Structure formats: structure tokens, C-alpha cells
Amino acid sequence: MPTVVEPKLIAGNSNLPLANSIARRMSLYRGMSVGLVDARVERFNDAEIFVEVFENVRGEDMFILQSTSNPANDNLMELLIMADALRRSSAARITAVIPYFGYARQDRRTKARTPITSKLVANMIHEAGIERVLTMDLHAAQIQGFFDIPVDNLYASPIFALDVKKQFAGRESELMVVSPDVGGVARARELAKRIEAPLSIVDKRREKPGEVAEMTVIGDVKDKVCLIVDDMCDTAGTLCKAAEVLLGHGATEVHAYISHGVMSGPAVERVTNSYLKTLVFTDSIQPTEAVANTHNIRILPMAPIFAQAILNIWNGTSVSSLFETDTIGPIYEGIL
């Protein structure tokens, strides 16, 4: 088998701008051109997915770049079929780079006779021949245990912390990090530690999925600039309601830092008309034109951290080093 010389990237259709940005950042880090493997990922007339790889990948270290965002089923099938094509083409190792891992909300049985779809997807990924997964801000940390292969879960909080320190320079004493529910406290606490800010919680009660019946603020947010931290924003109902409740309890401004901008249904309209001063997403999911043009939404690039993580995996060096501010700071110097 030939010696593996360089990592090779191949991308599905879910987020081509991010895939191209990762390739450009890797070219910068390597000091040589790193491009996407020439391939076609298309659909037959009946919507079946077809993949053809035009380059030799025998013995290569392959990285598939594909978020399983909307349309989740199509993008997941693209990932699995690409993995099968690479495995049958004798790739030495296949790593799935999944910036946004879909089906992560179905990580346990909340009612009788319901599936644990996250585990099912993990099994499918393993059986397709994928040997490692690189993702970011899983909805539930225990999903890593659903896989029988290594999973590297990156975090957006170091990048959020850099952005907060720049955007709110000189106002650090006014900041208050807010978790929009009890389940997200650990995520919010992580950012609060990084920016040395206090923590508050908005306790919510749902009548049914997508609808919030009641919200209670735990903590004193009076005269504070509140930063809501969460892993995803789907219909934006909880987020916009939380902003309204926080202002009602005396907060001066409300901003939000969200890892994954799912933004389905009425989300854009809600955010546009909400009390949120700014809503910050990563580009783990390719923003729609409506999202990109919304006046109070900003997008942070994830290509630098994913490019470095891919190189670390390829080199066999630490990925967890990217959780540290001293490491991530130079990577994002001049970008944020």
C-alpha cells in the first residue's frame, strides 16, 4: 500500500462554501494547495443519489465534509454513499467531518414507543465504513458513546469567547451569560468561565414541541447585557421569547450566540421582529439568503478550527488542544 502523503478532502452538497473555506485554510496552513477531490454527487430523476469519484484515492486518508442539515435525509444518504464509494475504492481511512450532526435531538426515549434515532444514525455511519467522526457541539454529549469509533467533538465556545471580548470590549462588567433552559447550563457555564461573567438561567416549560408555555428567570439580570448561549436555533420561538422575558426583568440588551442556525419555518421573521439586538451563528449550516440578509444576524466562520482539527487528526496530534484560548486565538487572529 502506498504511503499516505497528504490528507484528501471530498465534499457533499450540504455546505459547499464551508468545504471550500476549509480547503483554503488547509492550503494556508500547509503552505501548499489543498483542494477538494474531483467528484460528482448527483441525483437520478427519481431522487436516488449517485456518487462518482474521479481521482485515485487508494491508500489515502480521506475526509468527507458534510453536515446532515436540512434536507437531513438527503444529506445523510449522501454522506453514507460517499463513504461506501471511498471504501470500495480502497481508501486507507475515512473520517466524516460533520459540522452539524442531525438527528441529535432524538438521543433518548422521552415517551413510550419512540426511537433513539441518534444511535441508529451512529450505527449507519459505522457500517458505511467511516472510521472516525469529527463534529461540533453535539446536542447531547452522550451521543459520542453511541459510536463504536472515535468521535472528536469540537466546541464553538472558544470562538464565541473571542468574539465577545472584541464586540463588548470595555463592557465586561455588564455581561451576563444566560442559558435558555436547565439542560444547557453546562454549555453556558463554559462560555461564562471563558469571559469571566456570571451565569443566569431561563427555565422554560413546554406544552408541546416548538411551543413554550411559561418562562422563569433564575438570577438577577437587571442592568445587564445578556448573552443567551445555546447549541441550536430551529424555529427561534424559545430564543425570541427568552429575549422578551429578560428585558422584562431589567436587562439592558439581549444578544445570542448559537452554534447551529437551523432556522426553519417562521424563524427568520421571528428574529427580525424580536428584541434580540444581535444573533450570532456559526456557518456549520449553510445560511439561506434570508438568514444572511437579516439585519441582526452575524455569521462566524468555522473553517479555521475545522481545518486545524483535520490536520491534527491526520498528523496524529491532539484535537483537544483546540479547546484552549491560547491555541485558538492565533488561528482566528485577523478573522474576528
Side-chain angles (χ1 to χ4, degrees), residues 89-105:
S89 303
S90 302
R93 182 175 69 170
I94 304 170
T95 300
V97 181
I98 311 174
Y100 170 71
F101 185 83
Y103 286 110
R105 284 174 282 187

Side-chain angles (χ1 to χ4, degrees), residues 12-35:
N13 293 313
S14 69
N15 197 341
L16 284 171
L18 177 58
N20 286 311
S21 295
I22 290 172
R24 286 195 297 270
R25 294 301 300 185
M26 288 181 65
S27 299
L28 178 64
Y29 296 157
R30 297 286 295 152
M32 60 189 298
S33 178
V34 177

Side-chain angles (χ1 to χ4, degrees), residues 18-72:
L18 177 58
N20 286 311
S21 295
I22 290 172
R24 286 195 297 270
R25 294 301 300 185
M26 288 181 65
S27 299
L28 178 64
Y29 296 157
R30 297 286 295 152
M32 60 189 298
S33 178
V34 177
L36 299 176
V37 167
D38 188 16
R40 63 175 176 143
V41 184
E42 299 176 349
R43 280 157 179 67
F44 291 122
N45 291 333
D46 63 353
E48 285 185 4
I49 296 166
F50 176 75
V51 173
E52 184 177 5
V53 182
F54 297 118
E55 296 181 23
N56 179 30
V57 297
R58 183 180 298 274
E60 299 288 359
D61 197 356
M62 299 300 303
F63 292 83
I64 305 174
L65 311 176
Q66 178 81 333
S67 282
T68 51
S69 50
N70 184 35

Side-chain angles (χ1 to χ4, degrees), residues 105 108 111 139 180-182 202-216 230-242 270:
R105 284 174 282 187
R108 65 196 186 281
K111 298 178 181 178
H139 183 65
D181 53 46
V182 175
V202 176
D203 181 35
K204 66 183 179 185
R205 296 182 183 180
R206 290 187 186 272
E207 299 244 334
K208 57 184 178 180
E211 294 186 9
V212 178
E214 182 183 350
M215 283 189 165
T216 305
D230 208 355
D231 67 311
M232 69 173 68
C233 176
D234 190 349
T235 60
T238 296
L239 190 63
C240 296
K241 180 66 176 177
R270 284 175 174 172

Side-chain angles (χ1 to χ4, degrees), residues 64 79-80 83 94-96 125-133 149:
I64 305 174
L79 172 64
L80 300 176
I94 304 170
T95 300
I125 287 173
H126 186 200
E127 290 299 320
I130 292 168
E131 299 170 56
R132 191 181 196 102
V133 171
I149 54 177

Side-chain angles (χ1 to χ4, degrees), residues 113-161:
R113 298 174 295 282
T114 57
I116 304 178
T117 317
S118 297
K119 172 59 177 170
L120 173 63
V121 170
N123 291 343
M124 294 167 65
I125 287 173
H126 186 200
E127 290 299 320
I130 292 168
E131 299 170 56
R132 191 181 196 102
V133 171
L134 173 64
T135 186
M136 186 182 75
D137 277 341
L138 286 168
H139 183 65
Q142 67 265 23
I143 293 174
Q144 295 176 77
F146 293 174
F147 288 87
D148 294 323
I149 54 177
V151 177
D152 293 301
N153 185 31
L154 300 177
Y155 298 99
S157 59
I159 296 98
F160 287 165

